[in-house]
Amino acid sequence: MKYSPLFLAISMALPFAAYANSNPIEVIEVTGSYFNDYKVDEAKGAMRIDVSLLETAQSVTVIPSTIIEEQLATTLGEVLTNDASLSAGSRQRNREVFNLRGFELSSSNGYLRDGHQHWSHYQQPIETLESIEVIKGPSSILYGQSGPGGLVNMVTKKPTATNIFTLGADTDQEGSTRFTLDAGGALNDDESLRYRSTLVKQDVTYQREYQNGDQRERERFLGALVVDYDVSADLSLRVHYDYTNDKAGLDTGSWLNADGDLIGDRKTIRDMSWAFTDIDVENYGADINYLINNNWQVTLGYNKQTFERQRFESAPKKPATFSEGEQYTSKPYDRFDDWQFTTKFIDFTGDFDLAGVNHQLLIGANSLDYYYGQLKVKDASVDYAAGQNEPAKPDISYKTDDSLYNSQYDYYGIYLQDLITLNANWQVSLGGRYDKQNKENADNESFLPKFGVLYHPSEQGTIYYSYSEGFEPQRSETLNKDTDINHGIKLDAMTSKQSEIGVKWQLVNDRLLLSGSVFDISKTGKLISEDIDNLDFETRTTQAGEQRHKGFELAAQGAITDKLFVMSSLINIDAEYQQDENYQGKTPIDVPQWSAALWSRYELTEKLALNAGAFYEDERFADSDNTIKKAAYTRIDVGATYEVDLNEHELHLRFNINNLLDKRYLIGGGTSNVTAADGINFRLAAQLAF
């Protein structure tokens, strides 16, 4: 692995120094439930200003760190299953793909981290997160290029004035291990300088196996550091740095036959055991906040992300017809990818009264600079069948490629949003954005409006209507001439529109939030790619006329009683292609009509809590022609936490069982890259807080 020496020195020294030098302070003990934060009242990523969910005219789900920790989640996908509006796509090549309200989230524009566009072509370091905001519907007005389903905003843990020092360890029945350190506190007496540091070392052994009998493995290191400095009463500075190294054996997914059944065992990996991916990701940047006066403030943000990946592929290719034991072809190659993602923004926010009404005004601009470079060397194809000796790893290296392929573009946008409070019952939200992309042969510019009206029949409730638009310019003028058989067609920008009506209501002394919404989303210009059996090309891509998703959502989140807490959601989606000569009336891949999710905790005592969860997904199509279906499934998870007091320290012990009934089911992906779910999984964890 590659490490930044400066970062490692700082991040390792700070927690121990702060803990060793901390002075004894008076501790006030508060009795009551330790776990009390299922419900979150605000999602800043939705509006980029500090307003409650009841003042937000769109559907937003916030998944807090409490649930992440209770589920012993190690990937973003494990967390996002708590919101039924998200379903999994393909998980091939050590990354995760998701659909939100049935639309795929793009790695380049479907994810945010603390309000910055975030290149998400890898499994996210969720140990650094305090919550995850699922912002539904087109959000291009505030963030530029984004899809119609919405955005996932990952909110990172912030520095604390109080000293914290937590060590954690967990394992499972396969022998996987994860060791974590989470530390924070003040670095000076007046607490104006604070930090938060996270270290993770993880080694994973998967249930799935290569055909030579080796189990797939993964090694991951994460180091993250955030420092806050209050320069004055009006000026604050935050700097951040994180580094991830993630190396894993490759698994491009399982294969389905014409009946939608898995070919072979659910543990079988078609890739060779020597295929791997090795990823290095660095993020660093700063945010400055200045209070201009009592009504206005300005925030500036900058983040630089570098993503380097080597992918040594065996590249197995599923034949048009295939039965277990027959030969298939692998086309090995070694490839190096270099992505660089630079984001900047400036926001002016004001809270003032004008003409007898209150305005919460946002005026801002943001930009993205994108660069991508690729080196690739191929080897001769090999044929292989189960039971044969595995072909040797080819003697090739991307470093011998002297023909660098690269692509780059930049875009910027200027936006305005005003939340107008007319009186105690009525609010109106207005906004618009001008956006421009600069790219050779793919320039694009647009203006997007947004409108919302909110009615509050009481302080506990909101009824709202909203309209928003989104857009996604294509990254190139035409398709890849080396891989796609339709490489000559010219590509248009993708656009989307959404209308949504919803209600949000707080019950049980504002401890339980109920919500519901009805939505209608249309998208034009989506690219539909499918693998083909062709010697010269890998895919066939067409551009859809219109894709329309209509449906409704219901959700409940918070405390039902002093001891029972829930996070639950249900969604129904009617999705189909319209005005399309190839797929008229068809349903997109991996869009279930019904999905539901439930996670709950019941506190037996102040020290012992039980968890139970159920996750349902309706049948889905595995191909665009809608000839192959994946069956519906329900997964049951359970768990328990017990707290032990050890010499004024807290030890939390947790035991979880995922897929309690050992259900066999398929997750996301098509006929040649579907994810076969793991069987029953036991996880044991201990966390010691000093």
Side-chain angles (χ1 to χ4, degrees):
M1 297 184 218
K2 296 185 291 185
Y3 301 96
S4 168
L6 176 61
F7 165 71
L8 287 178
I10 295 174
S11 61
M12 289 182 171
L14 277 176
F16 292 99
Y19 180 69
N21 295 329
S22 60
N23 296 319
I25 60 174
E26 180 182 0
V27 176
I28 301 175
E29 183 176 353
V30 179
T31 59
S33 173
Y34 175 76
F35 306 100
N36 58 3
D37 51 359
Y38 263 45
K39 177 174 173 285
V40 180
D41 296 319
E42 183 178 312
K44 187 170 184 179
M47 299 278 285
R48 293 185 74 97
I49 56 175
D50 295 319
V51 296
S52 72
L53 292 177
L54 293 181
E55 297 179 289
T56 303
Q58 67 186 111
S59 179
V60 181
T61 298
V62 184
I63 306 171
S65 59
T66 293
I67 291 177
I68 298 174
E69 293 168 359
E70 285 181 353
Q71 296 177 341
L72 295 180
T74 60
T75 69
L76 184 62
E78 292 173 350
V79 180
L80 294 182
T81 56
N82 292 287
D83 185 346
S85 66
L86 284 143
S87 58
S90 171
R91 295 182 181 177
Q92 60 180 332
R93 297 185 174 94
N94 198 32
R95 59 178 287 254
E96 298 176 297
V97 177
F98 308 100
N99 300 314
L100 178 52
R101 287 185 168 175
F103 294 95
E104 183 176 316
L105 295 176
S106 167
S107 293
S108 61
N109 58 43
Y111 302 85
L112 309 171
R113 195 164 75 169
D114 295 327
H116 286 274
Q117 292 278 26
H118 186 74
W119 180 247
S120 186
H121 219 57
Y122 67 111
Q123 293 196 27
Q124 296 301 306
I126 64 171
E127 295 86 358
T128 65
L129 305 182
E130 68 177 25
S131 66
I132 297 172
E133 302 170 352
V134 184
I135 305 164
K136 302 170 189 179
S139 297
S140 289
I141 178 180
L142 297 179
Y143 298 104
Q145 305 172 12
S146 64
L151 295 168
V152 172
N153 183 35
M154 296 170 283
V155 182
T156 58
K157 296 175 181 176
K158 303 302 186 290
T160 61
T162 303
N163 288 323
I164 59 172
F165 192 90
T166 303
L167 296 173
D170 57 67
T171 187
D172 64 17
Q173 84 275 9
E174 303 297 329
S176 305
T177 58
R178 181 176 59 162
F179 300 97
T180 62
L181 182 150
D182 182 13
L187 295 171
N188 56 4
D189 291 337
D190 65 5
E191 299 179 348
S192 62
L193 186 62
R194 305 171 300 280
Y195 82 99
R196 190 72 174 264
S197 179
T198 305
L199 292 174
V200 178
K201 180 64 174 71
Q202 182 182 22
D203 295 282
V204 182
T205 301
Y206 292 92
Q207 294 185 18
R208 284 172 61 81
E209 300 175 348
Y210 297 99
Q211 294 178 74
N212 67 354
D214 292 346
Q215 287 181 266
R216 182 184 176 221
E217 295 182 339
R218 176 189 180 204
E219 299 177 7
R220 181 173 69 108
F221 171 81
L222 163 67
L225 176 65
V226 184
V227 176
D228 279 357
Y229 178 45
D230 297 332
V231 181
S232 67
D234 300 323
L235 179 64
S236 61
L237 168 68
R238 171 173 294 155
V239 295
H240 64 269
Y241 177 88
D242 65 83
Y243 168 78
T244 297
N245 174 258
D246 196 345
K247 183 175 182 179
L250 270 176
D251 181 356
T252 53
S254 299
W255 295 349
L256 300 180
N257 62 25
D259 297 322
D261 298 323
L262 200 64
I263 302 175
D265 190 85
R266 63 176 168 177
K267 293 185 178 181
T268 301
I269 300 175
R270 301 293 173 183
D271 304 83
M272 304 303 169
S273 63
W274 39 259
F276 70 90
T277 180
D278 190 357
I279 296 172
D280 288 286
V281 186
E282 283 189 296
N283 288 278
Y284 58 88
D287 294 274
I288 299 173
N289 188 75
Y290 178 64
L291 299 176
I292 301 173
N293 53 42
N294 291 334
N295 301 109
W296 287 90
Q297 62 180 314
V298 58
T299 304
L300 297 92
Y302 171 87
N303 186 73
K304 172 72 173 182
Q305 182 179 19
T306 61
F307 179 107
E308 296 180 345
R309 178 186 68 185
Q310 181 187 6
R311 210 170 78 192
F312 202 108
E313 287 261 17
S314 57
K317 189 171 181 61
K318 178 180 177 291
T321 59
F322 177 79
S323 297
E324 190 61 66
E326 296 179 347
Q327 280 195 338
Y328 60 90
T329 301
S330 288
K331 299 181 177 181
Y333 62 83
D334 188 22
R335 170 174 154 181
F336 178 78
D337 301 287
D338 175 19
W339 281 280
Q340 297 181 28
F341 227 61
T342 305
T343 58
K344 299 181 282 289
F345 73 82
I346 179 170
D347 285 348
F348 291 91
T349 55
D351 189 338
F352 57 91
D353 292 330
L354 180 65
V357 297
N358 179 259
H359 296 260
Q360 290 174 271
L361 184 64
L362 167 67
I363 304 172
N366 53 17
S367 67
L368 167 68
D369 292 327
Y370 171 96
Y371 169 83
Y372 171 64
Q374 180 190 115
L375 299 171
K376 184 176 180 179
V377 173
K378 300 179 181 180
D379 196 50
S381 300
V382 294
D383 293 328
Y384 173 78
Q388 296 179 350
N389 291 330
E390 182 180 86
K393 179 182 177 182
D395 184 18
I396 55 175
S397 173
Y398 70 85
K399 296 178 181 179
T400 63
D401 182 7
D402 57 2
S403 58
L404 173 69
Y405 166 80
N406 65 82
S407 173
Q408 53 191 332
Y409 67 88
D410 64 79
Y411 76 79
Y412 65 88
I414 302 170
Y415 46 89
L416 182 146
Q417 173 187 270
D418 192 7
L419 178 61
I420 305 169
T421 302
L422 302 173
N423 52 47
N425 300 110
W426 290 95
Q427 290 180 301
V428 175
S429 178
L430 302 170
R433 176 189 182 93
Y434 169 77
D435 199 280
K436 182 174 177 57
Q437 172 178 285
N438 300 304
K439 179 176 173 58
E440 185 177 355
N441 296 323
D443 284 353
N444 189 278
E445 61 182 333
S446 63
F447 176 79
L448 299 172
K450 182 179 180 181
F451 170 76
V453 58
L454 305 97
Y455 173 65
H456 307 286
S458 72
E459 292 183 356
Q460 286 71 42
T462 298
I463 302 169
Y464 67 88
Y465 166 80
S466 65
Y467 173 83
S468 57
E469 296 186 4
F471 76 103
E472 300 169 89
Q474 304 294 353
R475 295 292 173 252
S476 61
E477 187 177 38
T478 61
L479 302 169
N480 191 316
K481 66 179 181 180
D482 296 324
T483 60
D484 200 277
I485 198 169
N486 287 339
H487 57 84
I489 65 173
K490 184 174 176 61
L491 302 178
D492 298 322
M494 296 177 284
T495 60
S496 56
K497 300 177 181 180
Q498 175 185 268
S499 293
E500 178 176 303
I501 300 173
V503 60
K504 305 176 186 180
W505 214 276
Q506 296 190 128
L507 301 174
V508 195
N509 295 322
D510 297 342
R511 297 176 64 193
L512 178 68
L513 177 64
L514 303 181
S515 62
S517 63
V518 179
F519 58 87
D520 187 344
I521 311 173
S522 64
K523 176 179 181 176
T524 60
K526 176 184 177 180
L527 298 182
I528 304 173
S529 295
E530 294 192 295
D531 294 337
I532 59 174
D533 188 15
N534 186 288
L535 294 176
D536 299 318
F537 299 99
E538 299 176 6
T539 58
R540 176 185 289 108
T541 300
T542 57
Q543 193 163 20
E546 181 178 352
Q547 182 179 350
R548 190 171 183 184
H549 294 197
K550 299 181 290 183
F552 66 87
E553 297 180 357
L554 300 172
Q557 187 170 352
I560 296 178
T561 69
D562 289 342
K563 296 182 178 294
L564 179 61
F565 301 79
V566 298
M567 180 173 186
S568 61
S569 55
L570 170 74
I571 188 170
N572 172 270
I573 304 177
D574 177 14
E576 68 175 23
Y577 293 111
Q578 299 180 349
Q579 303 174 23
D580 185 84
E581 60 177 299
N582 297 306
Y583 299 106
Q584 179 73 31
K586 304 293 186 182
T587 299
I589 293 175
D590 275 328
V591 182
Q593 184 177 7
W594 291 95
S595 295
L598 168 67
W599 181 256
S600 63
R601 182 183 70 248
Y602 184 76
E603 298 178 353
L604 293 174
T605 69
E606 291 186 1
K607 303 293 185 181
L608 177 63
L610 303 179
N611 295 101
F615 306 92
Y616 170 77
E617 198 159 70
D618 205 355
E619 60 185 14
R620 296 132 290 140
F621 289 107
D623 66 329
S624 295
D625 288 327
N626 290 182
T627 60
I628 300 175
K629 284 185 178 180
K630 293 180 284 187
Y633 69 88
T634 301
R635 189 188 83 232
I636 304 295
D637 297 346
V638 296
T641 300
Y642 184 68
E643 179 184 329
V644 181
D645 294 327
L646 292 177
N647 297 325
E648 300 181 353
H649 304 310
E650 294 178 353
L651 174 65
H652 296 275
L653 302 175
R654 167 157 286 279
F655 180 64
N656 282 11
I657 305 176
N658 291 351
N659 196 6
L660 175 67
L661 304 180
D662 198 23
K663 182 74 173 179
R664 293 175 179 267
Y665 62 95
L666 301 175
I667 309 177
T671 57
S672 61
N673 61 2
V674 72
T675 300
D678 285 338
I680 188 170
N681 179 264
F682 303 93
R683 295 183 182 179
L684 178 65
Q687 186 180 75
L688 182 61
F690 292 84

